[in-house]
Amino acid sequence: MSSEKSKAMARALLLYLSFVSSAAHGRTCMSAQFKKPGDYILGGLFPFGMNTMNLSERLEPSVVVCDRLYASGLIWALGMKFAIDKINNSTSLLPGIKLGYEIYDTCLEPVVVIQPSLLFLTREGSTGIRVLCSYTDYQTRVTAVIGPYVSDLALITAKLFGFFLIPQVSYGASSEKLSQEEYYPSFFRTVPSDKSQSKALVQLINKFEWNWIVAIGSENEYGREGLGTFSNLATAQGICIAYEALIPADPSAPQDHQKLEKIIKYINETQVNVIVLFSVDKPVQALLELWISHGFSQKVWIATEAWVMSDIVTSIPNIQTIGTVIGFTIKGGIVPGFQDYVTDLFASVQQESFCRASWEYSRDADSPVLGPQCRQCDNVSLPDISHLLENQQTYAVYVAVYSVAQALHQALGCTAEGCPKATVKSWQLLDIMKTLRFTLDNQSFQMNQFHSTNQGYDVMFWSWQKNSLQYISVGDYRGSLSIDTSQIRFHTLDNKKPVSTCFQRCEPGQIKRVKGFHLCCYDCIDCEENTYQGTREDLFCTECPEHQWSPIRSTKCYDRSERYLFWDEPLVIGLLVLMLFATVLTCLSAVLFLKSLNTPLVQASGGTRSIFALLCLLLTCLSFCLHIGKPSVVSCMVQQPFYALGLSACFSTFLVKSLEIVLLTEFTSCPKSSLLWVTQKRAWLVVAIACLVESMLCFWYIYSVPAIPASNYKLLHAQVLIGCRIQSWFAFIMIHGYTGGLAFICFLCTFMVQTPAKRYNMARGITFSMLSYFVTWIAFVATYSTVQPTQQPAAQICSGLLCALGLLASYYLPKCYILLFKPEWNTVAYFQLHQGGAS
């Protein structure tokens, strides 16, 4: 604990001395610290400065000078210098071998990075590149290259270095294109690719259930490639991008400034609450400055590793007013000893003796080729860059240098005693680099199949405490996202996540209906009854097969249950009770009539014909059993004929009696021979003829157009209604119409007949029987047309039973009453017809 305190005190003291010294001397020799001779030279490409001139106005291939300092680039270059000095001072990695370095400014411009790249390709000890048939024995100026930072430059330099198979290890270029080994065989990197970061961004957005976002990229390889990859992944995950654009390359130009104005206004008009910025820091700075100047509302800004911790962005005035910033940084750490090293270096570069030695080193490294690098670095003091010393990008530089050193260690076959003095060509390191595995500061690193050390990301949250920015790690990403959302305090009034959705996730059984102009915005619509959603990707509901059904919002169909009149359902039981009642009454009446067959009452009613009529009525009642249970071909075929034939046979006996009555009462002058056809045994011939006609009609009905079982799938949503379908309503009317015709004749023959006093009115019983028949049929027609089809068979049974009971009540039961309770009325005189007519 005491040693840590002493180190902290020493660091504070050195920082204080650097303040005093910088105030006293002003300029330093920092620009002379980027070249150093050695046994193996590593080239470095770092963005010390930023271009301030319009390259389109460049008329001569002269040197492009970048006067504006890019402080982060300086820190990264010092990270390379620190790593090499640390390796040279180590006795375990490359004992006896000294690494040198030549670090040059890229200015973040392709036109600038070409010159130092060509210098790296020159022959060792010269400034020229020889044209040879084979470069196997060609020894380039540098053994490997560290950098550049951005993908635009790496795509250019990787082609050059790839031809010579010089290992190039970038600490920031993340374009997915650079993973193509056939085009960039010697390119490696110590950062994940854009595809990995895009997956992390999509998982972060899904974590907060946002699906209505804006995606903006920078007008360079990093922004274009990254934005394209992210958009594809986001769309595949159901995230709707309301607006997508690229920030112009030079926002300071009038035309590009107008484009940027349109971009931020359109973002504001979309009313989206989440914006993904896949961009390097300079374009982000231009966009956010303009956003703040317009005073637009606060949003959630999703940052990539290129700007989430950039001092260029965090130093924007009023940056804390933009809302909530969550982003990713490459998982790494603080380079151990780096802060002390930089503090010591800034103290040293202000000492004359140290600067004199540095210039000597620089001359030995052939500095006149490109001249001193980073002249503006001589004006930088430690306080200017102290806040950047913990930048995690420096760790990627640190790992890049050590990866080359580890490859050299294996190529030279170094041991604990030392490394042999041998010559290693650049291309000889490639096979080692492809499968390189090493440990650094207790962390393991390995190059994967895409030449990357994909160590993952940390999720960073901008936390403002009294206008002071703190970066809080709230999670990480290693193939899958892990995040502690409780640490994130959003800009909303309740500090909860804002809503940014244009649709709700559809539940199973719901399909998407596009709304508005964006195809990815939709409403969720339930699949209707008897339709289903087969898979979650289905855009339409599929109809169930006819024999199946489905409820609302279903993902499959179910087999329909069958619906018909079941024997055990309450309604049917009630009808069966009624049928039993009618059957019992009919049987008792028949028995009573049979027992009293020779009495005047039974003889006057028709004698044996009355018993025959009761048996036919019994058949009619029993025929209703054919309407119950699952319809079959046979039951459907005979249920209507059985009913019609039984009732017609019953009415045929009434016909004989009605004709007898009308002949005796209305046609008294008719010959006695006519009366014989409706009395005595000849009356059976009339009954037989009437039954024969009905039988022929029923036979025609059964043979030609019988009712058949039919299934109705449309009436009930979960059941199939099975019933008997009438094929010919004409045939149906004929067989029942004939019965109705018999009833009508009986009614006409009896309803006007007058009976003398103290005589039984036989005609009245027939009249009321026929009236009950007509009333029940009228009621049946009215009921049948109004009840549900499921209840139509029950309606027919009920009407038929009521008809039978009407016949019993109107004609037979009164006679049974006389037989049982008024035997004194059962005399010939009481039942004798008019004028001594036959009985």
Side-chain angles (χ1 to χ4, degrees), residues 475-698:
D476 64 358
Y477 174 83
R478 292 178 181 269
S480 62
L481 183 69
S482 174
I483 187 169
D484 182 6
T485 56
S486 63
Q487 296 189 59
I488 301 175
R489 296 181 64 82
F490 289 95
H491 59 269
T492 54
L493 293 176
D494 56 1
N495 297 129
K496 294 182 180 180
K497 68 173 183 180
V499 176
S500 189
T501 60
C502 73
F503 65 88
Q504 298 295 325
R505 299 287 181 185
C506 290
E507 298 294 329
Q510 292 183 320
I511 58 170
K512 303 172 183 177
R513 185 178 66 185
V514 175
K515 61 180 180 180
F517 299 102
H518 298 279
L519 296 179
C520 52
C521 281
Y522 53 82
D523 291 324
C524 293
I525 306 300
D526 291 342
C527 284
E528 297 178 351
E529 287 183 352
N530 296 326
T531 64
Y532 71 100
Q533 183 188 36
T535 63
R536 294 299 297 273
E537 290 74 27
D538 285 355
L539 299 178
F540 301 97
C541 296
T542 305
E543 287 193 8
C544 291
E546 192 175 44
H547 66 283
Q548 292 184 320
W549 75 284
S550 66
I552 294 175
R553 194 191 292 185
S554 179
T555 57
K556 64 178 181 179
C557 294
Y558 304 90
D559 290 334
R560 292 176 181 266
S561 60
E562 294 179 339
R563 181 71 177 94
Y564 45 83
L565 288 183
F566 292 94
W567 289 93
D568 58 350
E569 60 181 287
L571 177 61
V572 173
I573 293 173
L575 292 174
L576 288 174
V577 171
L578 187 63
M579 185 189 302
L580 179 62
F581 178 66
T583 302
V584 170
L585 283 180
T586 305
C587 291
L588 290 175
S589 299
V591 170
L592 186 58
F593 267 57
L594 181 62
K595 185 178 178 181
S596 308
L597 181 61
N598 296 317
T599 63
L601 185 152
V602 175
Q603 289 299 315
S605 300
T608 53
R609 294 192 304 273
S610 293
I611 298 174
F612 172 75
L614 285 169
L615 292 177
C616 291
L617 193 62
L618 177 64
L619 174 65
T620 300
C621 292
L622 294 177
S623 71
F624 295 125
C625 292
L626 296 172
H627 294 265
I628 304 172
K630 185 176 181 179
S632 64
V633 174
V634 174
S635 65
C636 288
M637 183 186 297
V638 300
Q639 61 183 209
Q640 297 299 333
F642 268 31
Y643 171 73
L645 187 60
L647 203 57
S648 293
C650 180
F651 284 179
S652 66
T653 63
F654 288 158
L655 176 64
V656 171
K657 197 64 181 175
S658 298
L659 291 174
E660 179 187 355
I661 293 171
V662 77
L663 288 174
L664 290 174
T665 57
E666 302 298 331
F667 300 96
T668 56
S669 60
C670 69
K672 294 285 185 180
S673 59
S674 301
L675 196 60
L676 294 176
W677 287 101
V678 292
T679 60
Q680 308 302 327
K681 293 182 179 180
R682 290 185 184 182
W684 283 104
L685 184 60
V686 176
V687 171
I689 293 172
C691 291
L692 180 62
V693 173
E694 182 66 51
S695 298
M696 292 176 64
L697 289 173
C698 290

Side-chain angles (χ1 to χ4, degrees), residues 41-46 80 84 100-104 106 113 116-121 140-149 153-154 157-158 160-162 164-171 186-190 397 400-401 403-404 426 429 433:
I41 304 297
L42 301 186
L45 297 173
F46 290 86
M80 176 178 174
I84 292 176
Y101 49 83
E102 292 188 13
I103 302 174
Y104 291 96
T106 66
V113 78
S117 298
L118 292 174
L119 178 62
F120 293 158
L121 297 176
T140 55
R141 186 184 189 91
V142 298
T143 304
V145 177
I146 307 300
Y149 171 56
L153 307 189
T157 58
L160 292 172
F161 300 138
F164 290 88
L165 296 181
I166 299 174
Q168 174 188 2
V169 187
S170 174
Y171 51 91
S186 64
F187 179 82
F188 300 87
R189 54 186 163 200
T190 55
V397 177
V401 174
S403 67
V404 175
S426 298
L429 298 179
M433 291 286 292

